[in-house]
């Protein structure tokens, strides 16, 4: 198969479904060469849709060796990394903090936080070493990086921590032309958030349906961040369903 050698190179984790699939598809449509990372090869193949500018790379982001293989594949095929979208994540366990099993906490941290760190670590190293130097890392935070839902200690803790990781990467990347930003999403309509539109537990204990919005708008926002020159950055961008219970007090 002949390979396309034009266009920036992007890596998207969690690209087999939901926001990751939508963002990866938008990047491919915008002319990027995109490595699709995720656990399920069949789902990644569906996202790729046979495009020669897509690289299907089954990856466990919580495993350092698996992540290293991912970025080695990308560099071998395309020679550089211009963009990382750290998107892979899981809601993890639900319940008050005393009800969360330690192994469920550890698993959530491994995927949502350690996974983002491992991918950023590999991307940063590639961006620092390549010529021309530099690149951009975008972390998928959440409204939970600002405020928790009831019974979401593991998920919320990882998303708050991701904000610290974003700030640290942005600061460490300055000498090398590496920009880092975070997109915090509230209620994009995906399979992962399907239950929210039916009924979500509120801070007062009630169960109420919440509004959602088309994840295509998340892809538009990511493209806005990605297309900036490296001397400009959007450190934090929040996109929500307009009437979701976030800005008010319940």
């Amino acid at each position: 198969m002949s390979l396309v050698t034009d266009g920036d190179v992007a890596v998207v984790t969690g690209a087999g479904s939901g926001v990751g699939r939508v963002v990866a598809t938008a990047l491919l449509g915008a002319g990027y060469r995109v490595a699709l990372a995720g656990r399920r090869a069949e789902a990644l193949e569906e996202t790729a849709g046979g495009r020669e500018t897509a690289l299907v790379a089954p990856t466990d982001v919580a495993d350092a060796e698996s992540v290293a293989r991912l970025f080695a594949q990308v560099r071998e095929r395309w020679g550089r990394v211009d963009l990382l979208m750290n998107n892979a994540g899981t809601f993890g366990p639900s319940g008050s903090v005393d009800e969360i099993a330690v192994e469920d906490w550890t698993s959530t941290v491994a995927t949502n936080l350690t996974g983002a760190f491992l991918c950023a670590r590999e991307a940063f190293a590639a961006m620092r070493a390549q010529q021309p130097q530099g690149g951009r890392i975008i972390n998928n935070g959440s409204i939970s990086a600002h405020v928790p839902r009831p019974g979401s200690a593991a998920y919320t803790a990882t998303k708050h921590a991701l904000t610290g990781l974003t700030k640290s990467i942005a600061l460490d990347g300055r000498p090398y032309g590496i920009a880092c930003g975070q997109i915090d999403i509230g209620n994009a309509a995906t399979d992962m958030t399907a239950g929210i539109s039916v009924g979500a537990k509120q801070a007062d204990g009630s169960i109420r349906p919440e509004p959602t919005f088309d994840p295509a708008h998340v892809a538009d926002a990511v493209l806005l961040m990605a297309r900036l020159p490296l001397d400009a950055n959007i450190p934090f961008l929040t996109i929500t369903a307009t009437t979701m219970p976030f800005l008010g007090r319940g």
Side-chain angles (χ1 to χ4, degrees):
M1 176 171 55
S2 60
L3 300 181
V4 173
T5 56
D6 293 327
D8 284 354
V9 175
V11 177
V12 179
T13 67
S17 63
V19 165
R21 172 173 284 182
V22 173
V23 168
T25 300
L27 289 168
L28 287 163
Y32 286 77
R33 295 170 282 170
V34 184
L36 310 173
R39 294 192 180 207
R40 298 175 295 130
E42 183 177 347
L44 297 175
E45 292 285 2
E46 291 177 2
T47 302
R51 298 177 182 87
E52 65 176 4
T53 50
L55 170 64
V56 171
T59 305
D60 178 0
V61 297
D63 181 85
E65 292 184 359
S66 183
V67 172
R69 285 194 298 272
L70 162 65
F71 282 87
Q73 282 182 271
V74 174
R75 293 194 305 273
E76 180 180 356
R77 181 158 178 175
W78 290 318
R80 61 184 293 110
V81 178
D82 297 293
L83 174 68
L84 165 64
M85 174 65 179
N86 253 330
N87 170 74
T90 177
F91 275 145
S94 179
S96 61
V97 67
D98 61 315
E99 297 170 335
I100 294 173
V102 173
E103 56 269 26
D104 292 336
W105 166 275
T106 302
S107 175
T108 306
V109 171
T111 298
N112 292 3
L113 181 57
T114 303
F117 161 74
L118 292 173
C119 291
R121 180 176 181 270
E122 292 289 339
F124 194 105
M127 293 170 180
R128 180 176 179 175
Q130 65 197 13
Q131 293 299 327
Q133 192 179 60
R136 189 178 304 274
I137 296 170
I138 300 174
N139 293 323
N140 183 349
S142 169
I143 293 302
S144 290
H146 302 266
V147 292
R149 290 185 179 277
S152 67
Y155 182 78
T156 299
T158 61
K159 293 303 184 178
H160 274 64
L162 197 62
T163 297
L165 180 64
T166 297
K167 291 177 179 179
S168 290
I169 294 169
L171 186 59
D172 292 347
R174 287 180 176 180
Y176 313 108
I178 299 171
C180 185
Q182 181 171 312
I183 182 167
D184 294 325
I185 303 165
N187 292 4
T190 66
D191 289 343
M192 188 174 176
T193 61
I196 289 173
S197 62
V198 178
K201 190 173 183 179
Q202 305 299 307
D204 63 1
S206 64
I207 305 295
R208 302 179 191 175
E210 294 186 12
T212 59
F213 70 98
D214 189 333
H217 302 310
V218 175
D220 292 340
V222 170
L223 281 172
L224 170 66
M225 298 171 78
R227 285 169 163 163
L228 289 172
L230 291 177
D231 60 358
N233 188 36
I234 297 175
F236 295 96
L237 186 157
T238 302
I239 180 169
T240 74
T242 303
T243 56
M244 71 174 289
F246 169 57
L247 296 178
R249 296 189 178 188

PDB file of all heavy atoms in Angstrom, residues 166-182:
ATOM      1  N   THR A 166      -1.655  18.411  32.700  1.00  0.00           N
ATOM      2  CA  THR A 166      -1.718  19.342  31.571  1.00  0.00           C
ATOM      3  C   THR A 166      -0.857  20.579  31.825  1.00  0.00           C
ATOM      4  O   THR A 166      -0.072  21.003  30.966  1.00  0.00           O
ATOM      5  CB  THR A 166      -3.174  19.768  31.304  1.00  0.00           C
ATOM      6  OG1 THR A 166      -3.950  18.626  30.934  1.00  0.00           O
ATOM      7  CG2 THR A 166      -3.256  20.804  30.195  1.00  0.00           C
ATOM      8  N   LYS A 167      -0.995  21.155  33.004  1.00  0.00           N
ATOM      9  CA  LYS A 167      -0.221  22.364  33.333  1.00  0.00           C
ATOM     10  C   LYS A 167       1.277  22.076  33.354  1.00  0.00           C
ATOM     11  O   LYS A 167       2.080  22.878  32.861  1.00  0.00           O
ATOM     12  CB  LYS A 167      -0.668  22.901  34.691  1.00  0.00           C
ATOM     13  CG  LYS A 167      -2.078  23.475  34.698  1.00  0.00           C
ATOM     14  CD  LYS A 167      -2.470  23.928  36.103  1.00  0.00           C
ATOM     15  CE  LYS A 167      -3.865  24.524  36.119  1.00  0.00           C
ATOM     16  NZ  LYS A 167      -4.275  24.947  37.487  1.00  0.00           N
ATOM     17  N   SER A 168       1.653  20.920  33.902  1.00  0.00           N
ATOM     18  CA  SER A 168       3.076  20.581  33.981  1.00  0.00           C
ATOM     19  C   SER A 168       3.674  20.351  32.603  1.00  0.00           C
ATOM     20  O   SER A 168       4.789  20.788  32.313  1.00  0.00           O
ATOM     21  CB  SER A 168       3.259  19.335  34.861  1.00  0.00           C
ATOM     22  OG  SER A 168       2.981  19.624  36.217  1.00  0.00           O
ATOM     23  N   ILE A 169       2.945  19.638  31.749  1.00  0.00           N
ATOM     24  CA  ILE A 169       3.438  19.403  30.389  1.00  0.00           C
ATOM     25  C   ILE A 169       3.567  20.720  29.632  1.00  0.00           C
ATOM     26  O   ILE A 169       4.555  20.953  28.916  1.00  0.00           O
ATOM     27  CB  ILE A 169       2.510  18.432  29.633  1.00  0.00           C
ATOM     28  CG1 ILE A 169       2.538  17.040  30.260  1.00  0.00           C
ATOM     29  CG2 ILE A 169       2.914  18.344  28.154  1.00  0.00           C
ATOM     30  CD1 ILE A 169       1.462  16.107  29.732  1.00  0.00           C
ATOM     31  N   ALA A 170       2.568  21.588  29.785  1.00  0.00           N
ATOM     32  CA  ALA A 170       2.624  22.886  29.096  1.00  0.00           C
ATOM     33  C   ALA A 170       3.852  23.687  29.516  1.00  0.00           C
ATOM     34  O   ALA A 170       4.507  24.328  28.686  1.00  0.00           O
ATOM     35  CB  ALA A 170       1.348  23.678  29.385  1.00  0.00           C
ATOM     36  N   LEU A 171       4.172  23.649  30.802  1.00  0.00           N
ATOM     37  CA  LEU A 171       5.334  24.372  31.301  1.00  0.00           C
ATOM     38  C   LEU A 171       6.636  23.715  30.836  1.00  0.00           C
ATOM     39  O   LEU A 171       7.546  24.400  30.326  1.00  0.00           O
ATOM     40  CB  LEU A 171       5.289  24.430  32.825  1.00  0.00           C
ATOM     41  CG  LEU A 171       6.359  25.267  33.528  1.00  0.00           C
ATOM     42  CD1 LEU A 171       6.298  26.726  33.068  1.00  0.00           C
ATOM     43  CD2 LEU A 171       6.195  25.166  35.042  1.00  0.00           C
ATOM     44  N   ASP A 172       6.725  22.388  30.969  1.00  0.00           N
ATOM     45  CA  ASP A 172       7.942  21.670  30.574  1.00  0.00           C
ATOM     46  C   ASP A 172       8.186  21.729  29.067  1.00  0.00           C
ATOM     47  O   ASP A 172       9.331  21.626  28.611  1.00  0.00           O
ATOM     48  CB  ASP A 172       7.857  20.202  31.002  1.00  0.00           C
ATOM     49  CG  ASP A 172       7.891  20.022  32.513  1.00  0.00           C
ATOM     50  OD1 ASP A 172       8.219  20.989  33.223  1.00  0.00           O
ATOM     51  OD2 ASP A 172       7.570  18.905  32.978  1.00  0.00           O
ATOM     52  N   GLY A 173       7.115  21.904  28.291  1.00  0.00           N
ATOM     53  CA  GLY A 173       7.256  21.898  26.836  1.00  0.00           C
ATOM     54  C   GLY A 173       7.700  23.202  26.225  1.00  0.00           C
ATOM     55  O   GLY A 173       8.078  23.255  25.046  1.00  0.00           O
ATOM     56  N   ARG A 174       7.703  24.279  27.014  1.00  0.00           N
ATOM     57  CA  ARG A 174       8.013  25.601  26.458  1.00  0.00           C
ATOM     58  C   ARG A 174       9.347  25.681  25.725  1.00  0.00           C
ATOM     59  O   ARG A 174       9.422  26.262  24.632  1.00  0.00           O
ATOM     60  CB  ARG A 174       7.961  26.650  27.571  1.00  0.00           C
ATOM     61  CG  ARG A 174       6.566  26.987  28.030  1.00  0.00           C
ATOM     62  CD  ARG A 174       6.589  28.026  29.143  1.00  0.00           C
ATOM     63  NE  ARG A 174       5.240  28.438  29.523  1.00  0.00           N
ATOM     64  CZ  ARG A 174       4.976  29.338  30.461  1.00  0.00           C
ATOM     65  NH1 ARG A 174       5.978  29.932  31.109  1.00  0.00           N
ATOM     66  NH2 ARG A 174       3.733  29.657  30.751  1.00  0.00           N
ATOM     67  N   PRO A 175      10.422  25.113  26.274  1.00  0.00           N
ATOM     68  CA  PRO A 175      11.709  25.249  25.575  1.00  0.00           C
ATOM     69  C   PRO A 175      11.773  24.482  24.252  1.00  0.00           C
ATOM     70  O   PRO A 175      12.682  24.719  23.459  1.00  0.00           O
ATOM     71  CB  PRO A 175      12.723  24.663  26.570  1.00  0.00           C
ATOM     72  CG  PRO A 175      12.030  24.634  27.889  1.00  0.00           C
ATOM     73  CD  PRO A 175      10.594  24.427  27.573  1.00  0.00           C
ATOM     74  N   TYR A 176      10.826  23.581  24.023  1.00  0.00           N
ATOM     75  CA  TYR A 176      10.913  22.686  22.866  1.00  0.00           C
ATOM     76  C   TYR A 176       9.770  22.880  21.868  1.00  0.00           C
ATOM     77  O   TYR A 176       9.612  22.080  20.951  1.00  0.00           O
ATOM     78  CB  TYR A 176      10.922  21.226  23.338  1.00  0.00           C
ATOM     79  CG  TYR A 176      11.875  20.992  24.479  1.00  0.00           C
ATOM     80  CD1 TYR A 176      11.398  20.749  25.763  1.00  0.00           C
ATOM     81  CD2 TYR A 176      13.262  21.057  24.290  1.00  0.00           C
ATOM     82  CE1 TYR A 176      12.269  20.555  26.824  1.00  0.00           C
ATOM     83  CE2 TYR A 176      14.134  20.870  25.342  1.00  0.00           C
ATOM     84  CZ  TYR A 176      13.627  20.617  26.613  1.00  0.00           C
ATOM     85  OH  TYR A 176      14.491  20.435  27.665  1.00  0.00           O
ATOM     86  N   GLY A 177       8.999  23.935  22.031  1.00  0.00           N
ATOM     87  CA  GLY A 177       7.892  24.179  21.121  1.00  0.00           C
ATOM     88  C   GLY A 177       6.775  23.168  21.263  1.00  0.00           C
ATOM     89  O   GLY A 177       6.061  22.889  20.298  1.00  0.00           O
ATOM     90  N   ILE A 178       6.605  22.630  22.464  1.00  0.00           N
ATOM     91  CA  ILE A 178       5.549  21.652  22.725  1.00  0.00           C
ATOM     92  C   ILE A 178       4.446  22.345  23.520  1.00  0.00           C
ATOM     93  O   ILE A 178       4.671  22.791  24.646  1.00  0.00           O
ATOM     94  CB  ILE A 178       6.079  20.429  23.498  1.00  0.00           C
ATOM     95  CG1 ILE A 178       7.171  19.722  22.678  1.00  0.00           C
ATOM     96  CG2 ILE A 178       4.947  19.464  23.828  1.00  0.00           C
ATOM     97  CD1 ILE A 178       7.906  18.638  23.447  1.00  0.00           C
ATOM     98  N   ALA A 179       3.276  22.444  22.919  1.00  0.00           N
ATOM     99  CA  ALA A 179       2.123  23.059  23.573  1.00  0.00           C
ATOM    100  C   ALA A 179       1.233  21.965  24.148  1.00  0.00           C
ATOM    101  O   ALA A 179       1.132  20.868  23.589  1.00  0.00           O
ATOM    102  CB  ALA A 179       1.340  23.899  22.572  1.00  0.00           C
ATOM    103  N   CYS A 180       0.579  22.260  25.255  1.00  0.00           N
ATOM    104  CA  CYS A 180      -0.331  21.294  25.856  1.00  0.00           C
ATOM    105  C   CYS A 180      -1.573  22.005  26.345  1.00  0.00           C
ATOM    106  O   CYS A 180      -1.488  23.046  27.011  1.00  0.00           O
ATOM    107  CB  CYS A 180       0.348  20.548  27.006  1.00  0.00           C
ATOM    108  SG  CYS A 180      -0.676  19.220  27.715  1.00  0.00           S
ATOM    109  N   GLY A 181      -2.720  21.450  26.016  1.00  0.00           N
ATOM    110  CA  GLY A 181      -3.995  21.999  26.457  1.00  0.00           C
ATOM    111  C   GLY A 181      -4.949  20.893  26.855  1.00  0.00           C
ATOM    112  O   GLY A 181      -4.672  19.702  26.653  1.00  0.00           O
ATOM    113  N   GLN A 182      -6.074  21.274  27.415  1.00  0.00           N
ATOM    114  CA  GLN A 182      -7.059  20.322  27.913  1.00  0.00           C
ATOM    115  C   GLN A 182      -8.445  20.732  27.461  1.00  0.00           C
ATOM    116  O   GLN A 182      -8.801  21.903  27.533  1.00  0.00           O
ATOM    117  CB  GLN A 182      -6.993  20.262  29.438  1.00  0.00           C
ATOM    118  CG  GLN A 182      -7.962  19.280  30.088  1.00  0.00           C
ATOM    119  CD  GLN A 182      -7.673  19.131  31.576  1.00  0.00           C
ATOM    120  OE1 GLN A 182      -6.522  18.935  31.975  1.00  0.00           O
ATOM    121  NE2 GLN A 182      -8.699  19.235  32.408  1.00  0.00           N
TER     122      GLN A 182
END
